[in-house]
Each structure stands twice: as C-alpha cells, then as structure tokens.
Amino acid sequence: MTATALMPIADIRALRCEFPILQQEINGRPLAFLDSAASSQKPRRVLECLDDYYRRYNANVHRGIYKLSEEATFAYERARGKVARLIGATSTREVVFTRNATEAVNLVATAWGSTNVHSGDRILLTMMEHHSNIVPWQMLAQRTGAVLDYLPLDGQGRLVLDDLDQLLTERTRMVALTHQSNVLGTLNPVRLIADRAHAVGALVLVDGAQSVPHMPVNVADLNADFLVFSGHKMCGPTGIGVLWGRYALLDAMPPFLGGGSMIKVVELQQSSYADVPARFEAGTPAIGEAIALGAAIDFLSSIGLDTIERHERELVNYALERLAQVEGVTMYGPPAAERGAVVAFTLRGVHPQDIAAFLDNEGVAVRSGHHCTQPLHRWLNVSATARASFYLYTIPEEIDRLVVSIERARRLFN
Ligand code: C6P
C-alpha cells in the first residue's frame, strides 16, 4: 500500500490545502508534519473564525447587554453545545471550558478530590499515563494521605487486567486512565474497566487528549464519569480545553478557582457559588478560542470522525510495516488494529534527539524525548524515544520520507 488513492479520505490533496501551514518548505524540503499528537495544525476555517471574533465581535461574555457582548455570549455558548453533541453529553451544563486537558484533570483532582478522597483511599492509574494524569493525583494523595496504584502493561504495551479485581478495592475512589496512549498508541478497554470500577463504587476519569481528536468518542458508551481533552490537538486553538462530567457529580463539587463569574452572591466574609458550568469558569474565559474550537468540531464532523479514524488506521498500519523493515529500529506498542496513529521508536546506536534533529534537516517534524511519560519510559527501559504521529492531513508519502530519512540517519551515525 503506497498509493494515496487507497486512503479513506478521498480528496486528501484538497483537504491539505485547507491547512496553510502545510504549504511551506522547511530546510528546502516540503514540510512533513508528523507531530500532531503534540499539537495539531489548524484549518483555514478555524483561523478565520478566530480572526472574525477578534475583528468583528470581540467582547466579554455573560456580562454585557450590548450587541457585541450578546453576540460573543451566544457564540461561546453555541460552541459549548457543539462540544456536548460531539461527545454525546446529555446537557451543555455538563461541559466545562478549561485551558486544556491538564487543567481539567487538576480541576477534578482538586475540586472533587478535596471532598471525596480521604486518608487510606486509593486512586488507580495506569503505567502509560501522561504526567497530566499522574501529578495532579500525586498532589491530591499528598494532601489527603491517599495511595496511588498502577495497572501494569504487557510486553506489547497493553494494560494487564489480570489483577484488576485485586487493585479495585472498596477503598478505590477513582480510576483515571488514558483512552489512548500518546506514546504506545494503545487503545484501552475503557468500558470494561469502567464497568468493573463502578461495581466497587469508584468513579472513572478518561483522558481523551489522544482519542477525542481522532475517533468517535461517546461518554455514555465509555460509561465514564469525567472526560478531559484539549482543543489544540483537534484542529482548534491553544488555550481551550474541556472537562465533561456527569451533571450530578459536577453539581456536588466545590469550586476550583475563585473570582468573577463563578459566584451568586459575594459578601465580605463569604460567597455563594454559581451553578455549573459557570462555577468552574472563574474569570474571563478564552472566548475566541472556545468559539474557534466549535469551528474545529464542525470541520472534523464534516469529514467524519469515523473516516478520520479509518484514515489513521491505514497510515499507522503502513508506518509499522515500513519501519519494521529498517534495520536497528525498535517500535513500542501493540499491532495497528489495537492502536491509534502514533509510533514511538528507537534506532540502535542513535539518540532519539539526534534522530529528530536529523529528520528536521530533511523537513520531517517528529518529537523526541520522554513525551511527558517518564514512568512509561522507565518501564520501557529507555530514557527517550522518537515519535511520529499522524492526523487527518497525513499522507503515506510523508511516512515514506520518514523511513528514507531514518535509513539515511542509520547509515550516517553508524
Ligand atoms: N501530550 C504529546 O506530545 P495538554 O498539554 O493539557 O494539552 O495535554 C496533556 C496531555 C494529556 N494526556 C495525554 C494522553 C496527552 O498526550 C497530553 C499531551 C502531548 O504527547 C504534549 S506533552
């Protein structure tokens, strides 16, 4: 499989034209952007939406009764509706705008954690979590005396569930796990784990940072209690993210940050708090960014998240096949059928940093390092990996260039 014609997104050339940033050369070569897991590129309509907001109706939301403010408020709340529909939320009240996935996990760990987690309680994580889904729980554990447990992985980077029933005790309050690993690509059986967690009374937070941009995700199908994700990884701007939570849970939670717009009445010594989601959106939010996230959701929906998922599956399948033929390459994670569109690898005798620098010279952008997963890299027994990641605008020719450049690096460095 080498032909673009085989890819599920039929008119991929036209689609790539929607992304102005992809139309440039880096070091004299066309840019092959293979780092969308870190942050995706933005289509014209998202750029124009942001520009339109700042040029035409920039004003604060939920405060003014004049025309511009009303237009901004309407567009901001309409974007919340788009998010709710994307993930199958039953109400827009379940959608909280945050800065990113990281802030959303911190919100839950702080606001929910402060009233629901006590000394001796347990929080179950997995060995493949991003630091964003580890450190906030460590901070909660340090404040409360709770204990963190970790689900282990097998040799191909899948969760081992043999001891799940032992790890899920009556003291387990929360299971927080990623839907898709940002390094291994592993897609986790969230529904199965959530059903078992609920059976012992634990809640489930799903980190959807690497899944929501790439496949249809429905909170009811996952049986999740909380879902977090970031706008910038799904064709939206930076500075906007989402926390979805079951209404009853959010409604029972104390505020995260205090300030304007999250209150009902403020007195000198105390205040009462607004209903959700306003209770969790203190201060002026990222208004234009939320509206542009709505435009990104329209864009992704117009292509179809199921089509995007199939496109990426073909790409990752192709990448695994091609990279397996390069001498000295070790890849991490399960087979293509069980993973999303990221491929982390090492090349014998060449530091991942040197691989990334060499590839950059050839116009191929990949990430190197621990990808904010130090415990996972320790488990893999490597200090760093190089990682290529794909999105709806990636074409097989870019994977060909990746492979050819790695071959060149191998010859040069050895
Ligand atoms: N991973 C990567 O290169 P923020 O930074 O809040 O937008 O996203 C955090 C985050 C949470 N969970 C997962 C699974 C992630 O992959 C990320 C971000 C990027 O892999 C940047 S470190």
Side-chain angles (χ1 to χ4, degrees):
M1 199 265 300
T2 49
T4 305
L6 291 181
M7 305 303 294
I9 297 177
D11 203 352
I12 186 97
R13 302 278 161 208
L15 181 128
R16 283 173 67 84
C17 289
E18 294 297 313
F19 291 81
I21 205 168
L22 297 179
Q23 317 306 318
Q24 66 179 301
E25 296 198 337
I26 299 284
N27 295 322
R29 305 287 312 275
L31 167 64
F33 184 77
L34 302 182
D35 195 22
S36 293
S39 199
S40 74
Q41 298 305 348
K42 326 299 176 201
R44 214 178 290 279
R45 79 160 80 165
V46 169
L47 303 175
E48 286 167 359
C49 175
L50 202 52
D51 185 73
D52 183 48
Y53 164 72
Y54 282 115
R55 276 179 201 276
R56 209 171 51 72
Y57 61 102
N58 172 49
N60 216 326
V61 289
H62 299 136
R63 288 157 170 84
I65 52 156
Y66 54 90
K67 177 103 175 55
L68 289 194
S69 178
E70 281 187 343
E71 191 172 347
T73 302
F74 178 76
Y76 181 75
E77 290 304 327
R78 194 175 50 186
R80 197 190 304 277
K82 290 178 185 181
V83 172
R85 278 192 295 283
L86 177 76
I87 58 173
T90 52
S91 158
T92 52
R93 293 183 305 178
E94 298 186 328
V95 174
V96 180
F97 282 125
T98 62
R99 275 191 306 143
N100 45 39
T102 302
E103 189 176 73
V105 179
N106 277 276
L107 195 166
V108 177
T110 304
W112 174 85
S114 67
T115 43
N116 290 283
V117 175
H118 305 100
S119 179
D121 284 345
R122 307 189 84 94
I123 294 158
L124 181 58
L125 309 174
T126 85
M127 285 296 289
M128 66 173 82
E129 294 312 310
H130 187 279
H131 296 165
S132 296
N133 202 25
I134 297 177
V135 182
W137 303 112
Q138 289 175 342
M139 290 160 67
L140 173 66
Q142 278 153 14
R143 284 197 301 275
T144 58
V147 181
L148 304 184
D149 297 306
Y150 287 85
L151 274 169
L153 310 180
D154 71 12
Q156 290 205 291
R158 304 183 190 95
L159 290 179
V160 176
L161 300 180
D162 299 353
D163 294 333
L164 185 59
D165 287 334
Q166 282 72 53
L167 287 166
L168 281 174
T169 71
E170 77 283 356
R171 294 304 302 266
T172 307
R173 294 282 164 266
M174 174 66 80
V175 178
L177 82 164
T178 190
H179 194 182
Q180 188 201 295
S181 161
N182 66 322
V183 174
L184 303 163
T186 315
L187 283 161
N188 288 322
V190 170
R191 174 71 198 228
L192 183 153
I193 295 169
D195 289 349
R196 305 257 286 266
H198 287 152
V200 299
L203 297 186
V204 176
L205 178 142
V206 179
D207 176 352
Q210 298 291 351
S211 61
V212 174
H214 300 278
M215 64 191 75
V217 172
N218 179 290
V219 288
D221 291 348
L222 291 178
N223 199 10
D225 299 293
F226 298 104
L227 173 74
V228 305
F229 53 99
S230 291
H232 70 94
K233 291 187 202 288
M234 51 192 290
C235 295
T238 53
I240 188 74
V242 171
L243 165 66
W244 167 85
R246 289 186 195 275
Y247 177 74
L249 292 171
L250 291 176
D251 190 45
M253 280 159 52
F256 172 46
L257 301 174
S261 15
M262 50 73 72
I263 51 85
K264 273 193 180 124
V265 179
V266 177
E267 291 170 278
L268 290 183
Q269 302 299 332
Q270 64 203 18
S271 301
S272 57
Y273 305 122
D275 295 334
V276 296
R279 190 187 308 158
F280 300 112
E281 293 182 5
T284 300
I287 303 163
E289 288 71 12
I291 297 168
L293 173 59
I297 291 171
D298 289 343
F299 175 76
L300 294 175
S301 305
S302 71
I303 295 154
L305 278 141
D306 49 348
T307 306
I308 295 169
E309 184 182 20
R310 276 187 289 119
H311 175 80
E312 294 180 11
R313 175 100 358 112
E314 294 289 344
L315 290 169
V316 81
N317 202 6
Y318 183 58
L320 294 183
E321 248 174 59
R322 295 275 340 250
L323 283 167
Q325 289 156 9
V326 182
E327 201 190 312
V329 162
T330 304
M331 288 178 283
Y332 302 90
E338 299 169 53
R339 67 149 88 199
V342 304
V343 182
F345 62 94
T346 49
L347 177 61
R348 195 186 317 118
V350 190
H351 193 279
Q353 221 75 303
D354 293 331
I355 300 174
F358 185 87
L359 293 180
D360 179 48
N361 220 24
E362 312 241 316
V364 180
V366 299
R367 187 174 169 188
S368 61
H370 53 63
H371 317 298
C372 301
T373 58
Q374 287 183 7
L376 172 62
H377 276 73
R378 229 167 273 128
W379 179 85
L380 292 171
N381 209 15
V382 288
S383 60
T385 51
R387 183 191 68 185
S389 54
F390 317 130
Y391 205 10
L392 71 167
Y393 40 69
T394 309
I395 48 177
E397 288 84 338
E398 291 175 315
I399 294 171
D400 292 338
R401 285 182 53 203
L402 170 76
V403 172
V404 168
S405 297
I406 295 172
E407 277 283 11
R408 273 204 207 107
R410 185 178 65 81
R411 285 196 296 273
L412 182 86
F413 284 94
N414 292 316

